[in-house]
Amino acid sequence: MTRKWILGGLAALLLSPLALAEPSDREVQQAMKRDFRAKGQAGMERLEQDGVQRICTATSNKPPAELAKQLEADQMKSIVYPSGSLMGDWRNGAKIAWGGRGMQWHEDPKKPADGGCYNCHEISPQRTSAGTIGPSLRAFGKKRGNGMEMQRYVYGKIYNAKAYNLCSDMPRFGPTGSLTEQQIKDVTAYLLDPTSPVNK
Ligand code: HEC
């Protein structure tokens, strides 16, 4: 009995590095393709990484600095700035930031989606439950100002976060079409407008 246990223990010790080895990217991709069921607007193409995501995966989110700079500049070109003020209606922006509707298989792709910003960011003191993947955006406009340059930064960051930080975990709301130009303006106002509860 004891001998069996010792042998069993030895075998487990020898095999454990195999069991603990990280799966390769290919194995992860294969498992996702095997288990993901395409339904409604959530098709298999959602599992395909684009070039930037592939580079971030391959380098564990640490691509060589020079390459990251070049690819960020490419991402920057995707940002379409409307003319005039980039601040819309913060009241509507609040709804978009709070809400989590849109992009799911059972939802109508023609209806406007929300931003789900609170999944990752603390924003207004009016809402205390918030994720921590991203930094707190409380009093964002109060701390950072709301001039044209800051409006361009916030609008651009929401439009395409990877233009500023290639391997950002933040979704690209503009190029994916998940938020419209007006919606991005509204959320920009939510963060920057002095009358928004975010800045109270
Ligand atoms: C899946 C998580 C996630 C979601 C959802 C998300 N963000 Fe982010 N966001 C991040 C992370 C992580 C960072 C910090 C890294 C970076 O700069 O990309 C960030 C950074 C930012 C910044 C820059 C902060 C600074 O100090 O300059 C702004 C502004 C921002 N997010 C706004 C938003 C808004 C508005 C939404 C909703 C429309 C949103 N984020 C949705 C993860 C997220």
Side-chain angles (χ1 to χ4, degrees), residues 64-109:
E66 198 48 44
L67 178 66
K69 235 165 75 188
Q70 278 172 23
L71 294 174
E72 281 166 7
D74 281 350
Q75 294 291 305
M76 197 61 90
K77 290 184 202 139
S78 77
I79 302 175
V80 184
Y81 287 98
S83 54
S85 166
L86 298 175
M87 291 219 271
D89 176 356
W90 68 257
R91 282 174 193 80
N92 200 35
K95 286 189 209 130
I96 296 161
W98 283 53
R101 254 175 335 135
M103 311 302 282
Q104 298 178 75
W105 66 266
H106 56 86
E107 288 166 319
D108 180 354

mmCIF file of all heavy atoms in Angstrom, residues 64-109:
data_model
loop_
_atom_site.group_PDB
_atom_site.id
_atom_site.type_symbol
_atom_site.label_atom_id
_atom_site.label_comp_id
_atom_site.label_asym_id
_atom_site.label_seq_id
_atom_site.Cartn_x
_atom_site.Cartn_y
_atom_site.Cartn_z
ATOM 1 N N PRO A 64 7.753 45.075 -29.447
ATOM 2 C CA PRO A 64 8.882 46.004 -29.466
ATOM 3 C C PRO A 64 8.370 47.452 -29.608
ATOM 4 O O PRO A 64 7.430 47.690 -30.394
ATOM 5 C CB PRO A 64 9.673 45.594 -30.713
ATOM 6 C CG PRO A 64 9.225 44.202 -31.026
ATOM 7 C CD PRO A 64 7.849 44.039 -30.467
ATOM 8 N N ALA A 65 8.970 48.385 -28.861
ATOM 9 C CA ALA A 65 8.441 49.752 -28.765
ATOM 10 C C ALA A 65 8.278 50.420 -30.132
ATOM 11 O O ALA A 65 7.262 51.081 -30.393
ATOM 12 C CB ALA A 65 9.336 50.585 -27.867
ATOM 13 N N GLU A 66 9.274 50.220 -31.011
ATOM 14 C CA GLU A 66 9.231 50.894 -32.316
ATOM 15 C C GLU A 66 8.041 50.402 -33.148
ATOM 16 O O GLU A 66 7.321 51.188 -33.751
ATOM 17 C CB GLU A 66 10.565 50.644 -33.052
ATOM 18 C CG GLU A 66 10.862 51.584 -34.187
ATOM 19 C CD GLU A 66 10.652 53.068 -33.834
ATOM 20 O OE1 GLU A 66 11.071 53.519 -32.744
ATOM 21 O OE2 GLU A 66 10.034 53.744 -34.678
ATOM 22 N N LEU A 67 7.827 49.084 -33.104
ATOM 23 C CA LEU A 67 6.708 48.480 -33.831
ATOM 24 C C LEU A 67 5.381 48.961 -33.246
ATOM 25 O O LEU A 67 4.454 49.323 -33.982
ATOM 26 C CB LEU A 67 6.802 46.949 -33.720
ATOM 27 C CG LEU A 67 5.684 46.152 -34.384
ATOM 28 C CD1 LEU A 67 5.711 46.324 -35.890
ATOM 29 C CD2 LEU A 67 5.806 44.661 -34.034
ATOM 30 N N ALA A 68 5.296 49.001 -31.913
ATOM 31 C CA ALA A 68 4.056 49.451 -31.260
ATOM 32 C C ALA A 68 3.727 50.870 -31.708
ATOM 33 O O ALA A 68 2.580 51.183 -32.020
ATOM 34 C CB ALA A 68 4.210 49.377 -29.745
ATOM 35 N N LYS A 69 4.767 51.713 -31.783
ATOM 36 C CA LYS A 69 4.552 53.110 -32.180
ATOM 37 C C LYS A 69 3.976 53.202 -33.595
ATOM 38 O O LYS A 69 3.038 53.951 -33.857
ATOM 39 C CB LYS A 69 5.884 53.874 -32.117
ATOM 40 C CG LYS A 69 5.785 55.116 -31.235
ATOM 41 C CD LYS A 69 7.117 55.694 -30.858
ATOM 42 C CE LYS A 69 7.810 56.440 -31.981
ATOM 43 N NZ LYS A 69 9.179 56.819 -31.621
ATOM 44 N N GLN A 70 4.566 52.396 -34.490
ATOM 45 C CA GLN A 70 4.087 52.412 -35.888
ATOM 46 C C GLN A 70 2.643 51.929 -35.989
ATOM 47 O O GLN A 70 1.826 52.513 -36.696
ATOM 48 C CB GLN A 70 4.943 51.483 -36.743
ATOM 49 C CG GLN A 70 6.230 52.095 -37.210
ATOM 50 C CD GLN A 70 7.108 51.045 -37.881
ATOM 51 O OE1 GLN A 70 6.615 50.029 -38.362
ATOM 52 N NE2 GLN A 70 8.403 51.293 -37.896
ATOM 53 N N LEU A 71 2.348 50.849 -35.260
ATOM 54 C CA LEU A 71 0.996 50.279 -35.362
ATOM 55 C C LEU A 71 -0.030 51.171 -34.671
ATOM 56 O O LEU A 71 -1.181 51.246 -35.107
ATOM 57 C CB LEU A 71 0.970 48.853 -34.800
ATOM 58 C CG LEU A 71 1.815 47.861 -35.622
ATOM 59 C CD1 LEU A 71 1.877 46.502 -34.944
ATOM 60 C CD2 LEU A 71 1.267 47.714 -37.035
ATOM 61 N N GLU A 72 0.397 51.870 -33.615
ATOM 62 C CA GLU A 72 -0.511 52.834 -32.979
ATOM 63 C C GLU A 72 -0.848 53.954 -33.975
ATOM 64 O O GLU A 72 -1.991 54.393 -34.072
ATOM 65 C CB GLU A 72 0.112 53.420 -31.704
ATOM 66 C CG GLU A 72 0.017 52.478 -30.504
ATOM 67 C CD GLU A 72 0.910 52.876 -29.334
ATOM 68 O OE1 GLU A 72 1.526 53.952 -29.378
ATOM 69 O OE2 GLU A 72 1.001 52.088 -28.390
ATOM 70 N N ALA A 73 0.179 54.369 -34.731
ATOM 71 C CA ALA A 73 -0.062 55.420 -35.741
ATOM 72 C C ALA A 73 -1.062 54.927 -36.792
ATOM 73 O O ALA A 73 -1.940 55.683 -37.225
ATOM 74 C CB ALA A 73 1.256 55.828 -36.391
ATOM 75 N N ASP A 74 -0.976 53.642 -37.160
ATOM 76 C CA ASP A 74 -1.966 53.070 -38.099
ATOM 77 C C ASP A 74 -3.363 53.111 -37.501
ATOM 78 O O ASP A 74 -4.328 53.456 -38.179
ATOM 79 C CB ASP A 74 -1.650 51.590 -38.386
ATOM 80 C CG ASP A 74 -0.525 51.424 -39.382
ATOM 81 O OD1 ASP A 74 -0.124 52.446 -39.985
ATOM 82 O OD2 ASP A 74 -0.047 50.292 -39.540
ATOM 83 N N GLN A 75 -3.457 52.727 -36.240
ATOM 84 C CA GLN A 75 -4.768 52.715 -35.565
ATOM 85 C C GLN A 75 -5.322 54.139 -35.482
ATOM 86 O O GLN A 75 -6.517 54.361 -35.627
ATOM 87 C CB GLN A 75 -4.653 52.129 -34.146
ATOM 88 C CG GLN A 75 -4.269 50.657 -34.106
ATOM 89 C CD GLN A 75 -5.375 49.750 -34.632
ATOM 90 O OE1 GLN A 75 -6.501 49.783 -34.168
ATOM 91 N NE2 GLN A 75 -5.055 48.954 -35.631
ATOM 92 N N MET A 76 -4.418 55.100 -35.285
ATOM 93 C CA MET A 76 -4.829 56.511 -35.181
ATOM 94 C C MET A 76 -5.567 56.946 -36.452
ATOM 95 O O MET A 76 -6.499 57.733 -36.388
ATOM 96 C CB MET A 76 -3.578 57.361 -34.934
ATOM 97 C CG MET A 76 -3.820 58.749 -34.411
ATOM 98 S SD MET A 76 -4.648 58.800 -32.799
ATOM 99 C CE MET A 76 -3.276 58.780 -31.671
ATOM 100 N N LYS A 77 -5.111 56.395 -37.580
ATOM 101 C CA LYS A 77 -5.736 56.785 -38.856
ATOM 102 C C LYS A 77 -7.195 56.326 -38.951
ATOM 103 O O LYS A 77 -7.947 56.821 -39.787
ATOM 104 C CB LYS A 77 -4.935 56.192 -40.042
ATOM 105 C CG LYS A 77 -3.589 56.847 -40.221
ATOM 106 C CD LYS A 77 -2.893 56.286 -41.446
ATOM 107 C CE LYS A 77 -1.390 56.495 -41.341
ATOM 108 N NZ LYS A 77 -0.608 55.348 -41.808
ATOM 109 N N SER A 78 -7.575 55.365 -38.118
ATOM 110 C CA SER A 78 -8.972 54.879 -38.187
ATOM 111 C C SER A 78 -9.941 55.869 -37.540
ATOM 112 O O SER A 78 -11.148 55.775 -37.749
ATOM 113 C CB SER A 78 -9.091 53.527 -37.464
ATOM 114 O OG SER A 78 -9.112 53.723 -36.053
ATOM 115 N N ILE A 79 -9.405 56.794 -36.738
ATOM 116 C CA ILE A 79 -10.305 57.680 -35.973
ATOM 117 C C ILE A 79 -10.870 58.774 -36.865
ATOM 118 O O ILE A 79 -10.124 59.523 -37.494
ATOM 119 C CB ILE A 79 -9.578 58.303 -34.765
ATOM 120 C CG1 ILE A 79 -9.027 57.195 -33.862
ATOM 121 C CG2 ILE A 79 -10.524 59.219 -33.973
ATOM 122 C CD1 ILE A 79 -8.190 57.688 -32.705
ATOM 123 N N VAL A 80 -12.194 58.840 -36.935
ATOM 124 C CA VAL A 80 -12.860 59.868 -37.732
ATOM 125 C C VAL A 80 -13.419 60.906 -36.767
ATOM 126 O O VAL A 80 -14.307 60.614 -35.969
ATOM 127 C CB VAL A 80 -14.017 59.254 -38.558
ATOM 128 C CG1 VAL A 80 -14.647 60.317 -39.459
ATOM 129 C CG2 VAL A 80 -13.524 58.070 -39.391
ATOM 130 N N TYR A 81 -12.862 62.121 -36.824
ATOM 131 C CA TYR A 81 -13.337 63.192 -35.940
ATOM 132 C C TYR A 81 -14.422 64.008 -36.634
ATOM 133 O O TYR A 81 -14.199 64.493 -37.741
ATOM 134 C CB TYR A 81 -12.186 64.127 -35.572
ATOM 135 C CG TYR A 81 -11.210 63.525 -34.585
ATOM 136 C CD1 TYR A 81 -10.022 62.954 -35.016
ATOM 137 C CD2 TYR A 81 -11.475 63.537 -33.219
ATOM 138 C CE1 TYR A 81 -9.113 62.405 -34.118
ATOM 139 C CE2 TYR A 81 -10.581 62.992 -32.311
ATOM 140 C CZ TYR A 81 -9.400 62.422 -32.766
ATOM 141 O OH TYR A 81 -8.526 61.877 -31.877
ATOM 142 N N PRO A 82 -15.578 64.172 -35.986
ATOM 143 C CA PRO A 82 -16.585 65.066 -36.567
ATOM 144 C C PRO A 82 -16.098 66.505 -36.436
ATOM 145 O O PRO A 82 -15.259 66.795 -35.574
ATOM 146 C CB PRO A 82 -17.817 64.844 -35.695
ATOM 147 C CG PRO A 82 -17.370 64.105 -34.490
ATOM 148 C CD PRO A 82 -15.981 63.621 -34.688
ATOM 149 N N SER A 83 -16.621 67.407 -37.264
ATOM 150 C CA SER A 83 -16.183 68.796 -37.126
ATOM 151 C C SER A 83 -16.948 69.446 -35.975
ATOM 152 O O SER A 83 -18.029 68.984 -35.590
ATOM 153 C CB SER A 83 -16.421 69.534 -38.433
ATOM 154 O OG SER A 83 -17.760 69.394 -38.810
ATOM 155 N N GLY A 84 -16.355 70.485 -35.424
ATOM 156 C CA GLY A 84 -17.001 71.211 -34.326
ATOM 157 C C GLY A 84 -16.764 70.561 -32.977
ATOM 158 O O GLY A 84 -15.842 69.755 -32.808
ATOM 159 N N SER A 85 -17.635 70.881 -32.042
ATOM 160 C CA SER A 85 -17.470 70.395 -30.671
ATOM 161 C C SER A 85 -17.594 68.876 -30.619
ATOM 162 O O SER A 85 -18.370 68.273 -31.362
ATOM 163 C CB SER A 85 -18.547 71.018 -29.775
ATOM 164 O OG SER A 85 -18.593 70.312 -28.549
ATOM 165 N N LEU A 86 -16.781 68.259 -29.758
ATOM 166 C CA LEU A 86 -16.841 66.799 -29.643
ATOM 167 C C LEU A 86 -17.660 66.396 -28.419
ATOM 168 O O LEU A 86 -17.698 65.226 -28.053
ATOM 169 C CB LEU A 86 -15.432 66.220 -29.576
ATOM 170 C CG LEU A 86 -14.580 66.486 -30.818
ATOM 171 C CD1 LEU A 86 -13.161 65.979 -30.619
ATOM 172 C CD2 LEU A 86 -15.202 65.816 -32.039
ATOM 173 N N MET A 87 -18.276 67.393 -27.774
ATOM 174 C CA MET A 87 -19.076 67.083 -26.594
ATOM 175 C C MET A 87 -20.556 67.088 -26.954
ATOM 176 O O MET A 87 -21.091 68.099 -27.399
ATOM 177 C CB MET A 87 -18.804 68.101 -25.493
ATOM 178 C CG MET A 87 -17.411 67.960 -24.912
ATOM 179 S SD MET A 87 -17.388 68.205 -23.146
ATOM 180 C CE MET A 87 -17.130 69.958 -23.049
ATOM 181 N N GLY A 88 -21.206 65.952 -26.762
ATOM 182 C CA GLY A 88 -22.646 65.834 -27.022
ATOM 183 C C GLY A 88 -23.427 66.069 -25.741
ATOM 184 O O GLY A 88 -23.120 66.974 -24.971
ATOM 185 N N ASP A 89 -24.424 65.213 -25.518
ATOM 186 C CA ASP A 89 -25.329 65.344 -24.381
ATOM 187 C C ASP A 89 -24.930 64.347 -23.282
ATOM 188 O O ASP A 89 -25.053 63.131 -23.475
ATOM 189 C CB ASP A 89 -26.755 65.057 -24.899
ATOM 190 C CG ASP A 89 -27.791 65.067 -23.797
ATOM 191 O OD1 ASP A 89 -27.426 65.215 -22.609
ATOM 192 O OD2 ASP A 89 -28.982 64.909 -24.131
ATOM 193 N N TRP A 90 -24.434 64.872 -22.140
ATOM 194 C CA TRP A 90 -23.923 63.958 -21.115
ATOM 195 C C TRP A 90 -25.008 63.046 -20.546
ATOM 196 O O TRP A 90 -24.728 61.943 -20.075
ATOM 197 C CB TRP A 90 -23.179 64.698 -20.004
ATOM 198 C CG TRP A 90 -24.010 65.575 -19.103
ATOM 199 C CD1 TRP A 90 -24.085 66.930 -19.149
ATOM 200 C CD2 TRP A 90 -24.860 65.160 -18.015
ATOM 201 N NE1 TRP A 90 -24.940 67.392 -18.179
ATOM 202 C CE2 TRP A 90 -25.421 66.329 -17.455
ATOM 203 C CE3 TRP A 90 -25.200 63.928 -17.455
ATOM 204 C CZ2 TRP A 90 -26.308 66.296 -16.376
ATOM 205 C CZ3 TRP A 90 -26.080 63.888 -16.380
ATOM 206 C CH2 TRP A 90 -26.624 65.052 -15.849
ATOM 207 N N ARG A 91 -26.285 63.509 -20.610
ATOM 208 C CA ARG A 91 -27.371 62.671 -20.048
ATOM 209 C C ARG A 91 -27.494 61.376 -20.845
ATOM 210 O O ARG A 91 -27.636 60.295 -20.293
ATOM 211 C CB ARG A 91 -28.703 63.419 -20.067
ATOM 212 C CG ARG A 91 -28.805 64.420 -18.954
ATOM 213 C CD ARG A 91 -30.054 65.265 -19.033
ATOM 214 N NE ARG A 91 -29.934 66.393 -18.134
ATOM 215 C CZ ARG A 91 -29.250 67.499 -18.403
ATOM 216 N NH1 ARG A 91 -28.648 67.628 -19.561
ATOM 217 N NH2 ARG A 91 -29.148 68.465 -17.509
ATOM 218 N N ASN A 92 -27.411 61.529 -22.150
ATOM 219 C CA ASN A 92 -27.455 60.345 -22.998
ATOM 220 C C ASN A 92 -26.166 59.525 -22.829
ATOM 221 O O ASN A 92 -26.192 58.295 -22.807
ATOM 222 C CB ASN A 92 -27.642 60.784 -24.460
ATOM 223 C CG ASN A 92 -28.160 59.653 -25.306
ATOM 224 O OD1 ASN A 92 -28.939 58.846 -24.838
ATOM 225 N ND2 ASN A 92 -27.679 59.581 -26.536
ATOM 226 N N GLY A 93 -25.050 60.248 -22.671
ATOM 227 C CA GLY A 93 -23.759 59.580 -22.454
ATOM 228 C C GLY A 93 -23.792 58.715 -21.200
ATOM 229 O O GLY A 93 -23.222 57.616 -21.171
ATOM 230 N N ALA A 94 -24.477 59.197 -20.155
ATOM 231 C CA ALA A 94 -24.567 58.433 -18.901
ATOM 232 C C ALA A 94 -25.267 57.099 -19.149
ATOM 233 O O ALA A 94 -24.825 56.046 -18.687
ATOM 234 C CB ALA A 94 -25.325 59.245 -17.857
ATOM 235 N N LYS A 95 -26.344 57.148 -19.949
ATOM 236 C CA LYS A 95 -27.092 55.901 -20.237
ATOM 237 C C LYS A 95 -26.210 54.920 -21.004
ATOM 238 O O LYS A 95 -26.224 53.713 -20.751
ATOM 239 C CB LYS A 95 -28.338 56.216 -21.078
ATOM 240 C CG LYS A 95 -29.440 56.868 -20.276
ATOM 241 C CD LYS A 95 -30.723 56.941 -21.113
ATOM 242 C CE LYS A 95 -31.562 58.126 -20.685
ATOM 243 N NZ LYS A 95 -31.998 58.974 -21.806
ATOM 244 N N ILE A 96 -25.447 55.459 -21.952
ATOM 245 C CA ILE A 96 -24.580 54.589 -22.777
ATOM 246 C C ILE A 96 -23.468 53.969 -21.919
ATOM 247 O O ILE A 96 -23.141 52.796 -22.035
ATOM 248 C CB ILE A 96 -23.982 55.401 -23.951
ATOM 249 C CG1 ILE A 96 -25.107 55.880 -24.878
ATOM 250 C CG2 ILE A 96 -22.957 54.596 -24.728
ATOM 251 C CD1 ILE A 96 -24.713 57.034 -25.794
ATOM 252 N N ALA A 97 -22.900 54.801 -21.029
ATOM 253 C CA ALA A 97 -21.812 54.304 -20.184
ATOM 254 C C ALA A 97 -22.322 53.256 -19.180
ATOM 255 O O ALA A 97 -21.623 52.286 -18.884
ATOM 256 C CB ALA A 97 -21.145 55.466 -19.446
ATOM 257 N N TRP A 98 -23.538 53.457 -18.662
ATOM 258 C CA TRP A 98 -24.100 52.532 -17.667
ATOM 259 C C TRP A 98 -24.574 51.242 -18.302
ATOM 260 O O TRP A 98 -24.482 50.172 -17.709
ATOM 261 C CB TRP A 98 -25.320 53.160 -16.954
ATOM 262 C CG TRP A 98 -24.996 54.158 -15.909
ATOM 263 C CD1 TRP A 98 -24.204 55.240 -16.067
ATOM 264 C CD2 TRP A 98 -25.478 54.174 -14.547
ATOM 265 N NE1 TRP A 98 -24.162 55.944 -14.892
ATOM 266 C CE2 TRP A 98 -24.933 55.318 -13.946
ATOM 267 C CE3 TRP A 98 -26.325 53.354 -13.817
ATOM 268 C CZ2 TRP A 98 -25.185 55.661 -12.620
ATOM 269 C CZ3 TRP A 98 -26.587 53.692 -12.496
ATOM 270 C CH2 TRP A 98 -26.010 54.819 -11.893
ATOM 271 N N GLY A 99 -25.124 51.346 -19.500
ATOM 272 C CA GLY A 99 -25.829 50.205 -20.088
ATOM 273 C C GLY A 99 -24.910 49.129 -20.631
ATOM 274 O O GLY A 99 -23.724 49.364 -20.902
ATOM 275 N N GLY A 100 -25.463 47.944 -20.797
ATOM 276 C CA GLY A 100 -24.672 46.829 -21.327
ATOM 277 C C GLY A 100 -25.366 46.133 -22.487
ATOM 278 O O GLY A 100 -25.073 44.984 -22.793
ATOM 279 N N ARG A 101 -26.290 46.858 -23.119
ATOM 280 C CA ARG A 101 -27.022 46.261 -24.231
ATOM 281 C C ARG A 101 -26.171 46.220 -25.495
ATOM 282 O O ARG A 101 -25.296 47.055 -25.669
ATOM 283 C CB ARG A 101 -28.224 47.157 -24.561
ATOM 284 C CG ARG A 101 -29.582 46.667 -24.136
ATOM 285 C CD ARG A 101 -30.604 47.740 -24.452
ATOM 286 N NE ARG A 101 -29.983 49.071 -24.500
ATOM 287 C CZ ARG A 101 -30.216 49.977 -25.444
ATOM 288 N NH1 ARG A 101 -31.026 49.723 -26.425
ATOM 289 N NH2 ARG A 101 -29.626 51.156 -25.397
ATOM 290 N N GLY A 102 -26.512 45.292 -26.388
ATOM 291 C CA GLY A 102 -25.913 45.329 -27.722
ATOM 292 C C GLY A 102 -24.847 44.279 -27.947
ATOM 293 O O GLY A 102 -24.207 43.826 -27.004
ATOM 294 N N MET A 103 -24.667 43.875 -29.182
ATOM 295 C CA MET A 103 -23.617 42.961 -29.635
ATOM 296 C C MET A 103 -23.825 41.499 -29.216
ATOM 297 O O MET A 103 -23.069 40.628 -29.614
ATOM 298 C CB MET A 103 -22.207 43.408 -29.173
ATOM 299 C CG MET A 103 -21.847 44.862 -29.424
ATOM 300 S SD MET A 103 -21.939 45.324 -31.153
ATOM 301 C CE MET A 103 -20.422 44.640 -31.790
ATOM 302 N N GLN A 104 -24.846 41.220 -28.376
ATOM 303 C CA GLN A 104 -25.044 39.822 -27.984
ATOM 304 C C GLN A 104 -25.926 39.109 -29.015
ATOM 305 O O GLN A 104 -26.704 39.735 -29.722
ATOM 306 C CB GLN A 104 -25.674 39.750 -26.597
ATOM 307 C CG GLN A 104 -24.778 40.362 -25.546
ATOM 308 C CD GLN A 104 -25.418 40.343 -24.179
ATOM 309 O OE1 GLN A 104 -25.500 39.310 -23.534
ATOM 310 N NE2 GLN A 104 -25.887 41.487 -23.735
ATOM 311 N N TRP A 105 -25.796 37.781 -29.071
ATOM 312 C CA TRP A 105 -26.450 37.010 -30.130
ATOM 313 C C TRP A 105 -27.942 37.238 -30.193
ATOM 314 O O TRP A 105 -28.540 37.212 -31.257
ATOM 315 C CB TRP A 105 -26.124 35.523 -30.001
ATOM 316 C CG TRP A 105 -26.684 34.866 -28.772
ATOM 317 C CD1 TRP A 105 -26.048 34.691 -27.580
ATOM 318 C CD2 TRP A 105 -27.996 34.303 -28.606
ATOM 319 N NE1 TRP A 105 -26.867 34.068 -26.690
ATOM 320 C CE2 TRP A 105 -28.082 33.807 -27.288
ATOM 321 C CE3 TRP A 105 -29.109 34.158 -29.442
ATOM 322 C CZ2 TRP A 105 -29.219 33.191 -26.784
ATOM 323 C CZ3 TRP A 105 -30.249 33.534 -28.944
ATOM 324 C CH2 TRP A 105 -30.300 33.060 -27.638
ATOM 325 N N HIS A 106 -28.577 37.467 -29.033
ATOM 326 C CA HIS A 106 -30.043 37.556 -29.005
ATOM 327 C C HIS A 106 -30.545 38.974 -29.231
ATOM 328 O O HIS A 106 -31.752 39.214 -29.209
ATOM 329 C CB HIS A 106 -30.572 37.031 -27.665
ATOM 330 C CG HIS A 106 -29.993 37.730 -26.487
ATOM 331 N ND1 HIS A 106 -30.518 38.889 -25.977
ATOM 332 C CD2 HIS A 106 -28.883 37.468 -25.754
ATOM 333 C CE1 HIS A 106 -29.765 39.284 -24.968
ATOM 334 N NE2 HIS A 106 -28.770 38.451 -24.809
ATOM 335 N N GLU A 107 -29.609 39.922 -29.456
ATOM 336 C CA GLU A 107 -30.043 41.303 -29.615
ATOM 337 C C GLU A 107 -30.102 41.716 -31.081
ATOM 338 O O GLU A 107 -29.401 41.167 -31.923
ATOM 339 C CB GLU A 107 -29.118 42.228 -28.823
ATOM 340 C CG GLU A 107 -29.369 42.079 -27.337
ATOM 341 C CD GLU A 107 -28.284 42.702 -26.498
ATOM 342 O OE1 GLU A 107 -27.101 42.568 -26.849
ATOM 343 O OE2 GLU A 107 -28.618 43.310 -25.492
ATOM 344 N N ASP A 108 -30.950 42.716 -31.342
ATOM 345 C CA ASP A 108 -31.133 43.200 -32.702
ATOM 346 C C ASP A 108 -29.958 44.107 -33.073
ATOM 347 O O ASP A 108 -29.772 45.159 -32.461
ATOM 348 C CB ASP A 108 -32.460 43.978 -32.752
ATOM 349 C CG ASP A 108 -32.747 44.539 -34.144
ATOM 350 O OD1 ASP A 108 -31.867 44.425 -35.029
ATOM 351 O OD2 ASP A 108 -33.845 45.102 -34.322
ATOM 352 N N PRO A 109 -29.145 43.698 -34.073
ATOM 353 C CA PRO A 109 -27.968 44.500 -34.422
ATOM 354 C C PRO A 109 -28.325 45.897 -34.933
ATOM 355 O O PRO A 109 -27.464 46.772 -34.982
ATOM 356 C CB PRO A 109 -27.274 43.673 -35.500
ATOM 357 C CG PRO A 109 -28.240 42.638 -35.938
ATOM 358 C CD PRO A 109 -29.285 42.489 -34.873
#
